[in-house]
Amino acid sequence: MKRRHKRERGRDGVSLNVYHSVWQLRTDGWNHLKDNTGRLADALAQGRDAEGFRRQVAEGLALLEPIESYWAFPGRQVFHSLQELFESGDYETLTRKVARINRALVSHSYRRGGVPLLEEEEHEEEERALEEQGEVRPYFEVLVVDEISPQEEERLKAGLRRMRRPEDKFIYEVVVVPSFEDALIAVLFNFNLQACVIRYGFPFKSQYRLEILRQLLEGIEERGLEHLSESERGPLLGAKIAELRPELDLYLVTDVSVEDIAGKLCRNFNRVFYRQEDYLELDLSILRGVNDRYQTPFFTALKEYSRQPTGVFHALPISRGKSIVKSNWIQDMAQFYGLNIFLAETSATSGGLDSLLDPTGPIKQAQELAARAFGARQTFFVTNGTSTANKIVVQAVVQPGDVVLVDRNCHKSHHYGLVLAGAQVVYLDSYPLDEYSMYGAVPLKEIKRTLLEYRRADRLDRVKLLLLTNCTFDGIVYDVERVMEECLAIKPDLVFLWDEAWFAFAGFHPTYRRRTAMAAAARLRERYRSAEYRKRYDTFRETFGAKDAEAEQTWLETRLLPDPERARIRVYATQSTHKTLTALRQGSMIHIFDQDFKHKVEEAFHEAYMTHTSTSPNYQILASLDVGRRQVELEGYELVQKQVELAMALRERVASHPLLRKYFRFLTIEELIPADYRPSGIEAYYSLENGWSRMEQAWRSDEFVLDPSRLTLYIGPTGIDGDTFKHDYLMDKYGIQINKTSRNTVLFMTNIGTTRSSVAYLIEVLVKIAQELDDQVEDLSPAQRQLHQRQVAALIQDLPPLPNFSYFHTSFRPEGDAREGDLRKAFFMAYDESLCEYLKLQDLHKHIVAGREVVSAMFVIPYPPGFPILVPGQVISQDILAFMQALDTREIHGYRPELGFRVFTEAALSAVHPVQQAVAAS
């Protein structure tokens, strides 16, 4: 079904359905107000009719009034003064003040301690003075929830301002909202917030009915809350805020006995105050809470070390920059990098900097802070990428012979990790997207069907681990909670490894967070402890009885619930912090939420960590992980929201540009996720016909959703394949860097470092390319035009279907009818040259047609699309052969053009398992 959008018209006359977010509306609202006040003042000064401008200014002020009530700057009092200036007719002063506020909002200069409404020259001098002071104290805002008069609000703000001291590390302002709904809107709207003070009783409903503001509440369960007593609303509001933005510090001011409620509220609230405590205590608590997140133990220790005079008498000549400073030939290295990076270069044997392999000091503290930030029970830093993190987890959890279910379309490090661990591998097939030469994700029914197959064969005990990628390279995101819950209903002790290499940012936005491994694990753990769930499970068990349990289709169609007495929450996530957050290349993290970690995995994990971790880790990478954690705890919500905003703006610009639409389009949710997996019915985040859709609805209900910050550009109509478009056009000609391509798509990603300028540049480049293509097509001869049409058809119509995983040869299956394969056995068997031969494509075809089971001896990975179409021990099927014959990619890993494909000889396979070969032959 298509979601219809109610057309809402703002008080400034602007159609609000053109806005996908209230943040964009706020920015445009101030820009329009600045322009319209200027036009109003100019019209009056020149004696022209100004009634139209006066009406536009009035509508702009009316639109911004509810929006600005959720921000400390410019603040309710200042905004009311603007309205008073307008009503009194002082348009010249109004114009200056609006322009000054708008400039402060755009430049973020208000973060440097406020923007007093002085004359322009005085204000510029003050800004220069602030910049000359050196390091500027970080600015944040504090939300106070209380229904108080304007006079009481000003007394509260003034009381907290009086507590400021020169030695404070931070500076903050207060914004007051009067209701439960207003508090939730503020928390989701105002990304400057770092703390929330919930005071006394307050009403439930907001007085503001602006729909674009109320959209922020979409998906938040509010039924029954309105009827709670005022004394109950405070604690419940705290729980809701903790769910939406867990990084915020929460304080409760109450007039009931704090002794009675303090113990009940400690999980969500940092502190409980009785009635009006003195302002100093509240101020100190707020600053201390923010400072706890601001701490970077290892980065701080490294900075301190770099300032100490030392004598270096161990390895590492570059330490302290000595081998560079004394050199006559490599001084340019110091000039390029700066000296600090070398002053901070040392080894783990130096005092005060801790050891990554056995942390007891600042590294240990930094990892504990990271665990808190990402919602994990334990977090470990990794300095050589998520490829290594994946191998560590697999080696720690999996023993030789354990069965592992894994998406075949996962990163190659998993395949190699499974080889090293000696796992028996069952490859799961993702749904194919043949039109774009890419895979989606593994449907839940496919996973359940495989588990039920092992249960039916009485071999479920051998299944140890489910390994999936979330989100996929192309932005397909699983319903992590549902996958784990239904799998635990079949196998209660199943371990999960979620490869979140491209999803580290997701934990810092309320919409994304619910689909992360750590957040889902915490919710399941809390749910299975509750009496409410136990009753729900008892009802489920009664209705889903033994008779139904025998029918596999019933299991596949039913939303399964695990037994809370048996289910164990055992979840691991690996993240490439450097890919989507601020960290140096190869900086990664392993997050763990495993109830059985201490007594089942800890020793094995540390051994695996020792196996794969360098004894000489790069301390700059470790420091960047520490700082990157600080950043996302303090401003992650803002940065991720802007990342999404820019991606949405890019979608809109390409879809609405006539020339770009001729050659390009960003693939929609409908094109990347089949309808069976989208009960919400949402087909696109933006379309010309229907405007904007709200992503929250899909993210609550759909089996798969699309990360809006992933933008897959379809380029089929250009007649240029993805690899050529990437190298010859984007990178070589315009310097635009991308990573992933398929035969007819290229993938763009916005991240927390993307700017509006970079988005504008990309649009400019795409327009130039489209113009070039227009000129080239217009000048083609008839013969060239036919060739061009064939090239377009090859990218739009004649794409080969993506092959599923065939099967492991019986020589590499522990039992003849088993699905799993001994990847390790096949991998190392291929080391023996005498057991292998090379076959060209045409020879492969002849052998397969003749009935031979040709078995790959290597991983074969065409790039693009970049997933293995063959693994060691896998039989080459007709479908796989057809796909390889149709590929026109320049790069195929595991294939040597001069020799062909490396396969096992028939004699070698017969020698491995003669009995099974005889059975197969019969």
Side-chain angles (χ1 to χ4, degrees), residues 490-777:
I490 302 172
K491 182 171 174 56
D493 61 345
L494 186 64
V495 183
F496 301 88
L497 169 53
W498 294 95
D499 182 340
E500 295 184 340
W502 295 92
F503 216 45
F505 70 92
F508 302 93
H509 190 283
T511 302
Y512 279 98
R513 186 185 304 112
R514 66 174 295 105
R515 290 192 177 230
T516 64
M518 293 298 103
R523 282 198 306 276
L524 291 178
R525 176 64 171 144
E526 193 68 23
R527 180 180 304 161
Y528 299 156
R529 288 172 167 173
S530 69
E532 180 184 353
Y533 177 82
R534 292 173 187 274
K535 291 179 181 178
R536 183 180 162 205
Y537 173 73
D538 289 341
T539 303
F540 167 79
R541 185 176 56 183
E542 291 172 5
T543 57
F544 192 72
K547 181 179 178 181
D548 290 334
E550 293 301 319
E552 181 176 300
Q553 193 61 32
T554 305
W555 282 76
L556 295 177
E557 300 296 338
T558 302
R559 176 69 182 262
L560 303 178
L561 297 180
D563 183 347
E565 298 296 334
R566 299 177 60 214
R568 306 296 294 171
I569 308 301
R570 307 192 62 194
V571 185
Y572 295 76
T574 54
Q575 292 179 346
S576 295
T577 317
H578 65 100
K579 282 187 170 73
T580 63
L581 298 178
T582 299
L584 292 176
R585 194 172 182 86
Q586 295 192 31
S588 297
M589 296 186 193
I590 300 171
H591 303 299
I592 301 172
F593 197 113
D594 184 351
Q595 290 178 257
D596 298 335
F597 182 76
K598 288 293 183 183
H599 64 281
K600 287 188 177 181
V601 182
E602 187 170 32
E603 291 300 324
F605 183 90
H606 286 297
E607 286 299 317
Y609 195 76
M610 293 282 188
T611 300
H612 295 282
T613 300
S614 171
T615 55
S616 302
N618 186 302
Y619 273 14
Q620 318 311 322
I621 295 176
L622 291 174
S624 72
L625 290 171
D626 198 13
V627 174
R629 185 275 314 157
R630 176 215 277 176
Q631 181 182 39
V632 290
E633 273 206 291
L634 292 167
E635 58 180 345
Y637 178 52
E638 174 185 2
L639 296 175
V640 175
Q641 181 61 40
K642 289 180 178 178
Q643 166 183 336
V644 174
E645 294 286 304
L646 292 173
M648 294 296 198
L650 193 51
R651 276 185 173 82
E652 180 186 17
R653 298 299 185 273
V654 171
S656 58
H657 195 290
L659 180 58
L660 291 182
R661 290 203 309 271
K662 185 176 179 180
Y663 293 103
F664 309 115
R665 76 171 189 274
F666 286 117
L667 296 184
T668 63
I669 303 170
E670 180 183 22
E671 292 169 307
L672 290 171
I673 303 174
D676 289 348
Y677 309 125
R678 292 184 288 106
S680 70
I682 291 177
E683 298 173 351
Y685 288 127
Y686 176 80
S687 69
L688 287 174
E689 298 79 16
N690 299 314
W692 292 103
S693 293
R694 298 288 297 171
M695 63 183 279
E696 290 80 3
Q697 180 182 347
W699 282 64
R700 288 195 309 274
S701 63
D702 292 356
E703 180 172 345
F704 300 115
V705 293
L706 178 65
D707 173 8
S709 68
R710 305 298 181 93
L711 302 110
T712 300
L713 188 71
Y714 182 65
I715 60 172
T718 67
I720 306 168
D721 68 87
D723 197 47
T724 301
F725 194 85
K726 167 187 173 179
H727 288 96
D728 297 357
Y729 287 82
L730 294 177
M731 295 182 70
D732 294 347
K733 195 168 185 178
Y734 294 105
I736 289 179
Q737 299 178 6
I738 63 167
N739 195 330
K740 166 79 162 51
T741 66
S742 74
R743 294 194 70 208
N744 54 17
T745 70
V746 293
L747 177 68
F748 298 97
M749 293 179 282
T750 57
N751 57 53
I752 65 170
T754 304
T755 64
R756 294 183 68 179
S757 296
S758 57
V759 169
Y761 178 60
L762 175 57
I763 294 170
E764 177 188 342
V765 166
L766 291 177
V767 169
K768 288 180 179 179
I769 294 174
Q771 290 170 340
E772 292 173 17
L773 290 171
D774 249 7
D775 294 340
Q776 291 170 8
V777 171

Side-chain angles (χ1 to χ4, degrees), residues 400-434:
D402 284 343
V403 173
V404 175
L405 313 185
V406 56
D407 176 11
R408 193 250 311 223
N409 187 28
C410 64
H411 190 265
K412 65 180 184 179
S413 62
H414 292 295
H415 302 281
Y416 290 115
L418 294 168
V419 167
L420 295 175
Q424 300 292 314
V425 181
V426 175
Y427 283 115
L428 304 171
D429 286 314
S430 299
Y431 65 82
L433 296 165
D434 294 327

